[in-house]
């Protein structure tokens, strides 16, 4: 019984390796292409994002006052990340092409 199980396990591993090596690399989508197609349209709620930034900065100030400096730095980093997303959204709106035929 043990010998049969080991034989089956080795056979499955070999078959899996053969299948994996038989698929060409071009058949698999690139990582950046798969991410873009799975997301769909991106929408930005800038007022909501600005409120989140304000809340995170306020929380960071409170944590700093309590002496939790590392946690405050993490909250500030989150706020900077959201601020960068806001800038990206604004840049995309500013540089977006107009309507077709307009």
């Amino acid at each position: 019984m043990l010998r049969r199980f080991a034989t089956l396990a080795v056979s499955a591993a070999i078959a899996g390796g053969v299948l994996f090596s038989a698929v060409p690399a071009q058949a698999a989508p690139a990582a950046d292409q798969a991410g873009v197609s799975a997301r769909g349209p991106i929408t930005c709620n800038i007022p909501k994002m600005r409120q989140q930034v304000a809340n995170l900065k306020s929380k960071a100030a409170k944590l700093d006052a309590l002496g939790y400096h590392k946690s405050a730095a993490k909250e500030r980093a989150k706020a900077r990340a959201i601020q960068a997303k806001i800038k990206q959204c604004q840049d995309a709106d500013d540089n977006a092409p107009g309507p077709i035929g307009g």
Side-chain angles (χ1 to χ4, degrees), residues 10-98:
V10 169
S11 298
I14 291 172
V18 169
L19 286 175
F20 184 73
S21 65
V23 176
Q26 293 84 6
D32 58 330
Q33 291 175 349
V36 171
S37 64
R39 287 188 208 151
I42 298 172
T43 58
C44 296
N45 188 350
I46 294 178
K48 182 179 177 183
M49 293 169 79
R50 285 190 176 141
Q51 184 62 43
Q52 289 174 340
V53 169
N55 290 343
L56 289 169
K57 286 182 179 181
S58 173
K59 186 175 180 181
K62 289 177 186 176
L63 289 169
D64 254 341
L66 294 172
Y68 298 109
H69 302 294
K70 287 184 181 181
S71 297
K74 288 180 184 179
E75 295 301 316
R76 280 192 210 94
K78 290 178 189 177
R80 282 191 302 271
I82 294 173
Q83 192 66 39
K85 287 181 185 178
I86 290 171
K87 182 164 178 20
Q88 287 175 350
C89 290
Q90 289 173 336
D91 288 345
D93 286 342
D94 292 342
N95 297 324

